Amino acid sequence: MRLLLTLAISVGLSACTAPSRDFRGLPAQRITVDGSVFDVRIRGERAEAVRVNTQYAPRFGPIRERAGRAMAQASGCQVKEVLGDQALALGVLDCD
């Protein structure tokens, strides 16, 4: 029983930092911005930033700004829009 519980917790925690379906299989760049650590993946003119560090009760406002900066750093493009939540943010890039 203890082994089953340990396995369930391990699988559950590993899924927290997994990329979304559209970004699976893409390499991630680990980028830190003002204490927030993100795994950033780029696909065309879209970016995904998965926050991988723990932070106590983060609000999305500051996280959105940090995720946008991480996406810009990873892609070399400007970020037009960032949507999502405290754990996973999706961005629209302007690479022109």
Side-chain angles (χ1 to χ4, degrees), residues 43-84:
R43 181 181 293 275
E45 294 209 355
R46 296 182 305 138
E48 176 183 78
V50 178
R51 190 172 53 82
V52 296
N53 67 318
T54 57
Q55 291 180 274
Y56 177 73
R59 293 185 340 267
F60 186 53
I63 298 297
R64 175 187 339 191
E65 189 269 331
R66 293 174 192 163
R69 287 174 39 204
M71 291 175 200
Q73 184 176 339
S75 67
C77 302
Q78 295 213 357
V79 179
K80 294 194 285 189
E81 184 177 17
V82 178
L83 303 170

Side-chain angles (χ1 to χ4, degrees), residues 4-23:
L4 183 60
L5 180 60
T6 302
L7 181 62
I9 290 172
S10 297
V11 169
L13 289 177
S14 67
C16 293
T17 61
S20 65
R21 183 175 49 108
D22 290 343
F23 291 88

